[in-house]
Amino acid sequence: MSCTVSMTVNGKTVSREVEERTLLVTFLREHLGLTGTHVGCDTSQCGACVVHVDGRSVKSCTTLAVQADGAAVTTIEGLAAADGTLHPMQAAFREHHGLQCGFCTPGMVMSAVDLVRENPNPTEAEIREGLEGNICRCTGYHNIVRAVKAGAEAMAGAQAAPVAAE
């Protein structure tokens, strides 16, 4: 059976005809060509597929596209500014070497952004706990934790920055 799914993805309204059993990750990757969201395990264990749905982290490998019908979805491709300026968390991952192979990075960054929205000043222990559902097989997590801490500080600074008068 197929149905029409409509949602806002990275600020753009999209509609596609999909099978009812289509996973959100499949919708994003195969129907929209947004391949930054990775498929690692298909069982919600690794976190490589994390995206935001209505501002909350979800594992898109176990979420049906129809469950996101009418929602606002943000992928790693939509996190940076329109001019290409990296989101503070993306910049922190780059600056603090919070990646090696990069496969887990999109999910880590998306999870970290949600973690910091919920807890703007997380401790190292809170960061480690907040990222428990994300697996990295390369880094040992030390640089990821440093990157999240720096990203949290940068996000707080960006929110506190005064708006320039036009």
Side-chain angles (χ1 to χ4, degrees), residues 22-36:
T22 302
L23 295 171
L24 182 56
V25 70
T26 304
F27 180 77
L28 296 169
R29 291 179 61 82
E30 296 179 14
H31 294 266
L32 301 182
L34 298 171
T35 58

Side-chain angles (χ1 to χ4, degrees), residues 15 17 30 40 45 48 63 66-67 69-70 84 92 105 117-118 156 158 160 164:
S15 291
E17 189 79 16
E30 296 179 14
Q45 300 294 311
T63 303
V66 296
Q67 290 176 282
D69 190 43
T105 305
R117 282 185 186 148
E118 292 291 320

